[in-house]
Amino acid sequence: MKPHIEKLLATAALAVVVSLLAPGCGQKKSASANNAVSDAERKDMALASFVAPGEKDEYYLFYSGGHSGQIYVAGVPSLRHISTIPVFTPYPGTGYGFDEASKKMLGDYTWGDVHHPALSQTDSLYDGRWLFCNDNANNRVARIDLRDFKTKQILGPIPNASGTHASSFVTENTDYLFLATRFSTPLPRGRVADPKDYAKEFNGMITAVKVDPKDGEMSLAYQILMPPLDFDLCSTGKGPSSGFAFFTSYNTEMAGDLLEVNATQKDRDLAAIVNWKAAAEAAAANKGTVMNGVQVLDPSKVPGILYYVPVGKSPHGMDTDPTGQWIVAGGKLQPSTTVLNIDKIKAAIANKDFDGEFRGVPILNYNSVVEGEVPVGLGPLHTQYDGKGNAYTSLFVDSNITKWKLPPWTDAEKKDLTSVVLDKMPVNFSVGHLVVAGSDTKKPYGKWLVAMNKLSKGRHVSVGPSQPESSQLIDISGDKMKMVAEAYTEPEPHFAQIVAVKDLKPIEVYPKTENKDPNAVWDAKETGVTREGNKVTAKVIAVRSRFIPDRIDANVGDELIVHVTNIEQAGDMIHGFGVNDHNLNVVIDPGETKTFKVKLTKTGVFPFYCTNFCSALHQEMQGYLVVHPEGEPVAKAD
């Protein structure tokens, strides 16, 4: 279709949507509408977020899928769900967890708890190569290749670590990922100690994972032994804070039970500042001890790799601004954010401006390193940045987003930091994380903010007791924030990343020349079924609209190995291979080869068929697995 015709149709479609949304075209409130939204506002919101049929979003939104174990991909500004990337949980929709390669990655685990996705960076900018995410439940970290949006590696369980919540966070050139533990346990793992002796017998851990710059392969680098604090979140430095990583923690009280009460007794908690370059040098010099195959550095014995600083009570987010100058901690039980100044941190370290120590590690003098506490409201959790000198903090208790001005502040502003609070936007309800496009880079895209709200509270049509969560899109391009759109996601987005579509270059077909699978077959002459003892191997072609061969014979007791190659070289020509009554389904993208194995245990004739609609003759794309009694001669298929 010619571009000008597409444009005309898109404009016409937009006009229809707007007219439907605003039948009165007036300024008064719509009787059937949300009582806070006028008809004029409805039109503005629709125009801001509407993406016409056939048009594409400007940004990708990568949501963590929480205890679904997956990553969700949506578009911005439409907030339309586009796809699900299976990571830690089998996903029949793409056959993930059914073929041999993905089964091997998953191991014996059938779920994960994805919290914090992180895009790879080069020179503090998204480089479009990989997306990393953690599994808080089983102490793992995964790498998704953004060339094909597929999980390529799962590393873990990480030794000596329990509940790697404060992860995955990349350094400015993706040299390392950092993971810190939410839970402390007796170490080495497997040792038993009484939780009553929590402060004495339990430890947390910060783990550095090395990332190969060529292919993204992850490997364990080193660990830092930590006291039994509950590490929550992290961000890494850039520019003047290059080489540092910043971690929030709660439970400075080191309580082993009833944390709701016992971990909230002190006015402030300790954030950890890690000089990860110094730690890497210490590990390279073997200054640690080896525990479960990993070199573990004790910061009380290796000075210069770790410092503490007090921040607001029960902090959650710890976010470095685009310049690398300011690091903001949100103390969720304190109505303010704590703003740290990296220059002052460096000066305090150089001058040994300490206020005591904690387990042999210096505590930086609070008054020497804190630039100010900004009264953003109740329950500050996370802070994001637009690259224009503004910060946006999510307020769980107040259920709003607060926009405020970053330092440097004038003397008048310093005297009254309420004056740097610029705007507040209510969100529905009880926002947890928020994300601004590109916030963790040195050049945020700005423009859009997505609030990930923990409660939807009936803002959608009822779906029964199991409620989705709501996400709200906010325009931050002007002086004041504007609510634009709302969508719902399955539980539970903890964090997200937004990257411009123009900055990723995904493929839609695996070129035949790149398929190096030794069992790939591209011609019907190469297909067939062979037997070696009790091992039966089938090499199969999938192409519209048949399988070649479409009959596989074997016996009870055989191990059946099937290699299926989708020889299509056209986009969206995806085929599935489901085997009736065998709990099997693999999905093969164009140009891809997948392998599955099954131990045959029962006689019968079992249909197999294409599970992914592919053509007008999709229904006809089927065959039969014929399983004969054990030891019975099997005729060779034609």
Side-chain angles (χ1 to χ4, degrees):
M1 187 179 291
K2 295 181 178 179
H4 73 282
I5 295 177
E6 288 183 332
K7 188 174 182 179
L8 285 172
L9 290 175
T11 304
L14 176 59
V16 170
V17 169
V18 171
S19 65
L20 289 173
L21 289 173
C25 297
Q27 297 298 314
K28 65 182 181 180
K29 308 290 184 182
S30 169
S32 60
N34 182 321
N35 58 15
V37 181
S38 72
D39 289 343
E41 290 169 330
R42 283 171 176 272
K43 284 196 291 186
D44 288 343
M45 294 162 77
L47 288 167
S49 62
F50 181 68
V51 177
E55 293 184 349
K56 297 176 181 176
D57 284 289
E58 187 178 1
Y59 298 93
Y60 290 104
L61 173 64
F62 292 98
Y63 280 115
S64 70
H67 44 283
S68 80
Q70 320 292 36
I71 291 284
Y72 304 129
V73 185
V76 172
S78 74
L79 291 184
R80 296 178 299 196
H81 176 85
I82 300 173
S83 70
T84 296
I85 303 175
V87 183
F88 294 114
T89 304
Y91 188 63
T94 61
Y96 186 78
F98 293 83
D99 66 285
E100 294 306 305
S102 56
K103 281 169 62 178
K104 184 179 179 181
M105 275 197 301
L106 290 170
D108 294 330
Y109 295 95
T110 57
W111 79 290
D113 190 6
V114 177
H115 276 241
H116 308 116
L119 290 161
S120 59
Q121 298 186 18
T122 299
D123 190 23
S124 298
L125 295 172
Y126 297 148
D127 58 25
R129 293 183 294 171
W130 309 300
L131 181 74
F132 303 94
C133 61
N134 66 321
D135 170 13
N136 183 59
N138 300 305
N139 318 315
R140 296 177 294 172
V141 61
R143 173 175 50 87
I144 296 164
D145 193 328
L146 294 177
R147 184 171 183 259
D148 58 4
F149 282 45
K150 291 187 179 178
T151 303
K152 295 299 170 67
Q153 185 189 5
I154 295 176
L155 179 68
I158 306 293
N160 314 318
S162 294
T164 50
H165 184 275
S167 63
S168 312
F169 297 97
V170 304
T171 54
E172 58 205 304
N173 286 302
T174 321
D175 303 287
Y176 293 95
L177 308 179
F178 282 99
L179 302 76
T181 50
R182 172 183 169 185
F183 309 114
S184 292
T185 60
L187 294 176
R189 295 215 42 205
R191 183 172 72 87
V192 177
D194 193 328
K196 293 179 180 177
D197 299 323
Y198 182 82
K200 178 182 177 183
E201 296 289 347
F202 287 54
N203 279 96
M205 194 70 78
I206 291 176
T207 301
V209 172
K210 185 69 177 171
V211 180
D212 189 306
K214 293 182 180 178
D215 57 13
E217 187 76 7
M218 301 178 292
S219 59
L220 291 173
Y222 61 86
Q223 294 182 314
I224 301 175
L225 186 70
M226 302 297 289
L229 311 180
D230 295 53
F231 291 94
D232 208 4
L233 283 166
C234 165
S235 68
T236 57
K238 61 176 76 69
S241 53
S242 174
F244 289 95
F246 309 92
F247 297 84
T248 51
S249 74
Y250 54 93
N251 195 17
T252 301
E253 297 83 354
M254 296 186 289
D257 60 2
L258 195 58
L259 267 59
E260 180 184 32
V261 175
N262 296 330
T264 57
Q265 298 301 303
K266 296 188 176 182
D267 290 337
R268 299 188 188 282
D269 279 294
L270 294 176
I273 301 173
V274 173
N275 184 333
W276 60 262
K277 290 185 177 177
E281 291 173 358
N286 296 318
K287 293 186 177 180
T289 57
V290 176
M291 185 187 302
N292 288 324
V294 187
Q295 184 160 178
V296 179
L297 301 170
D298 183 340
S300 68
K301 300 176 181 176
V302 187
I305 65 171
L306 176 68
Y307 302 90
Y308 294 112
V309 61
V311 296
K313 189 173 184 174
S314 294
H316 201 49
M318 185 76 159
D319 301 286
T320 307
D321 89 309
T323 69
Q325 185 69 45
W326 315 108
I327 304 98
V328 177
K332 60 180 184 276
L333 297 184
Q334 180 171 314
S336 60
T337 55
T338 306
V339 183
L340 304 170
N341 183 334
I342 189 61
D343 288 343
K344 293 181 177 179
I345 289 173
K346 289 181 181 177
I349 293 172
N351 298 325
K352 297 186 177 180
D353 184 3
F354 303 144
D355 184 14
E357 54 85 22
F358 181 66
R359 298 215 167 172
V361 174
I363 301 174
L364 302 182
N365 189 323
Y366 176 84
N367 293 320
S368 298
V369 301
V370 172
E371 192 70 13
E373 293 185 349
V374 180
V376 290
L378 296 177
L381 294 183
H382 304 279
T383 298
Q384 296 275 281
Y385 310 97
D386 62 7
K388 301 174 184 175
N390 300 309
Y392 301 80
T393 299
S394 59
L395 283 299
F396 181 82
V397 177
D398 277 352
S399 194
N400 71 253
I401 306 296
T402 294
K403 176 182 178 180
W404 52 279
K405 177 188 171 187
L406 282 167
W409 298 313
T410 66
D411 290 341
E413 289 171 337
K414 289 179 181 176
K415 290 179 181 178
D416 178 14
L417 285 177
T418 61
S419 63
V420 305
V421 175
L422 305 175
D423 192 21
K424 293 192 175 185
M425 168 62 70
V427 291
N428 309 99
F429 294 93
S430 296
V431 60
H433 271 282
L434 77 169
V435 61
V436 168
S439 172
D440 55 345
T441 72
K442 67 180 182 182
K443 292 181 180 177
Y445 305 107
K447 191 172 181 177
W448 296 113
L449 180 155
V450 175
M452 287 162 268
N453 308 313
K454 294 301 182 187
L455 304 173
S456 53
K457 284 287 187 184
R459 289 173 66 84
H460 45 79
V461 295
S462 178
V463 291
S466 294
Q467 303 278 311
E469 297 193 359
S470 74
S471 292
Q472 293 181 304
L473 181 68
I474 298 171
D475 181 349
I476 58 169
S477 60
D479 291 337
K480 296 295 183 182
M481 294 180 280
K482 294 180 181 178
M483 181 66 69
V484 168
E486 184 174 74
Y488 302 96
T489 57
E490 294 187 27
E492 171 180 12
H494 291 274
F495 188 43
Q497 297 266 267
I498 299 176
V499 59
V501 170
K502 65 179 177 59
D503 290 337
L504 299 189
K505 306 296 180 188
I507 60 171
E508 295 189 353
V509 172
Y510 292 102
K512 178 181 176 182
T513 54
E514 292 186 11
N515 187 326
K516 305 302 181 186
D517 192 311
N519 296 301
V521 287
W522 296 87
D523 190 294
K525 297 177 182 176
E526 301 171 320
T527 65
V529 181
T530 59
R531 171 181 288 277
E532 183 179 349
N534 287 331
K535 181 186 295 183
V536 175
T537 301
K539 293 186 177 180
V540 178
I541 280 175
V543 65
R544 283 165 289 175
S545 301
R546 62 180 299 194
F547 294 107
I548 307 173
D550 59 2
R551 171 174 172 166
I552 300 172
D553 286 79
N555 295 92
V556 167
D558 286 342
E559 181 188 41
L560 176 64
I561 304 170
V562 180
H563 309 287
V564 190
T565 300
N566 178 350
I567 66 171
E568 306 274 6
Q569 289 289 280
D572 212 10
M573 284 299 106
I574 302 165
H575 296 297
F577 195 105
V579 184
N580 190 262
D581 205 20
H582 278 75
N583 193 36
L584 269 172
N585 177 50
V586 297
V587 176
I588 317 102
D589 292 334
E592 190 176 34
T593 299
K594 290 279 185 69
T595 296
F596 68 84
K597 298 178 182 178
V598 59
K599 187 75 171 180
L600 300 176
T601 60
K602 52 192 172 187
T603 60
V605 179
F606 304 97
F608 56 82
Y609 65 103
C610 180
T611 53
N612 203 96
F613 197 94
C614 57
S615 71
L617 295 177
H618 166 73
Q619 288 291 94
E620 285 77 2
M621 192 168 174
Q622 66 177 56
Y624 287 103
L625 167 63
V626 183
V627 183
H628 303 266
E630 187 172 3
E632 180 178 285
V634 175
K636 189 173 182 180
D638 294 335

